[in-house]
Amino acid sequence: YVLVCARVLPEVALCLSGLSFFIVAFACAVSALEQGDPNFLTIAQSMLQLCKMCLGMFSGESFDELENFPALLFVVVIFLIVTVVFILNLLVAQLTCAYQATYLDMAGYARLNRGKIITETMPSVSAARWESFVENLRLDDPMEFGEGDLGLPGGVQVLEPACANITTVDVIRRFGGSTSPAAEWPKEDVLGRDEEDKFERLEKIIGKAVKRMSKASRANGSAVGSSMGGSGSSCGSGSVGSNGNSD
């Protein structure tokens, strides 16, 4: 948030500079008018009163007195429209756009700031302390992709819960053969992967079809059971009626 504020503050300063420019311009224009309002006789007084208008500190009685000077009232209305309506809304739009643009890169700015702190601190670290720190990292030891599955060295392993990032497909691509750096990197089997993707799609389609067929069979079974129950009840009522007639 400190980085975001640092990126947004220049927009606020730009808006304040524009507002001060308009205050000075309108103060010079108001002081040059033929009007007898004692609050707008000089440029300094006009600037003070215009600042009060921007901050909402100008009293209502003073606004009523402006009705006696139509030219002054017209200039003041234009000033309020330009500053209060236009400049302040422009400031809101600038802050919103600047915050959105900065928020997307906030993590990058934080890393840059952290890197700057590290580079400034490194000259004060002794060589022995740096060597012990590197040895404690154990960068020469291979990392484990899984239990007993050794990987490549040169990194720091960070463990996380198994439920944090659930993956059903192994993201580690393995190739058989020598692990020598001088050996040629094996070519990617694009056709084989395409065929595997086709088989996976086919399995998904078959699985969906089987689920639909099972649901349909269950629905048909329940419908047949209900119809058999209805026919059994009708037969029972018919037999009772025939016995009564014979009696």
Side-chain angles (χ1 to χ4, degrees):
Y1 293 103
V2 175
L3 294 173
V4 173
C5 293
R7 298 284 175 174
V8 170
L9 285 178
E11 302 295 335
V12 179
L14 184 62
C15 179
L16 292 177
S17 63
L19 182 61
S20 61
F21 171 79
F22 280 107
I23 289 175
V24 173
F26 276 89
C28 295
V30 167
S31 62
L33 290 175
E34 293 183 359
Q35 45 86 18
D37 195 332
N39 295 325
F40 295 91
L41 293 178
T42 61
I43 296 177
Q45 290 179 347
S46 301
M47 290 176 59
L48 179 61
Q49 301 304 322
L50 294 177
C51 288
K52 288 182 178 180
M53 291 180 185
C54 293
L55 298 176
M57 299 172 62
F58 200 72
S59 63
E61 297 177 355
S62 300
F63 275 112
D64 294 336
E65 294 178 358
L66 293 178
E67 296 179 357
N68 301 324
F69 310 99
L72 178 60
L73 179 62
F74 178 74
V75 175
V76 168
V77 170
I78 294 177
F79 171 77
L80 292 177
I81 292 174
V82 171
T83 56
V84 177
V85 177
F86 177 72
I87 296 294
L88 294 182
N89 289 328
L90 182 62
L91 174 62
V92 173
Q94 285 179 331
L95 294 179
T96 303
C97 295
Y99 179 79
Q100 290 178 353
T102 307
Y103 183 78
L104 297 175
D105 300 330
M106 185 169 60
Y109 289 137
R111 292 191 182 97
L112 290 175
N113 192 16
R114 189 176 301 172
K116 181 182 178 182
I117 295 173
I118 292 173
T119 54
E120 292 177 352
T121 309
M122 283 301 298
S124 61
V125 179
S126 62
R129 187 174 182 181
W130 173 253
E131 290 177 358
S132 64
F133 171 73
V134 174
E135 289 178 359
N136 292 329
L137 292 178
R138 302 173 62 184
L139 297 176
D140 296 332
D141 297 340
M143 296 179 295
E144 287 187 352
F145 294 134
E147 186 175 358
D149 186 8
L150 296 180
L152 301 175
V156 179
Q157 186 175 8
V158 178
L159 301 178
E160 64 179 9
C163 60
N165 297 292
I166 301 174
T167 55
T168 57
V169 180
D170 192 3
V171 296
I172 302 172
R173 301 184 60 186
R174 306 174 187 273
F175 298 95
S178 176
T179 58
S180 174
E184 184 180 358
W185 187 261
K187 297 181 180 180
E188 296 183 0
D189 188 7
V190 180
L191 297 177
R193 283 197 299 168
D194 293 340
E195 292 179 358
E196 291 178 359
D197 294 339
K198 290 180 181 179
F199 282 119
E200 290 180 359
R201 294 175 186 174
L202 183 60
E203 289 178 359
K204 291 180 181 179
I205 293 172
I206 293 174
K208 291 180 181 179
V210 170
K211 289 181 181 179
R212 291 177 183 175
M213 292 173 63
S214 62
K215 290 180 180 179
S217 62
R218 291 176 184 174
N220 293 331
S222 61
V224 171
S226 61
S227 62
M228 291 294 292
S231 61
S233 61
S234 62
C235 291
S237 61
S239 63
V240 171
S242 61
N243 292 331
N245 290 332
S246 63
D247 290 340

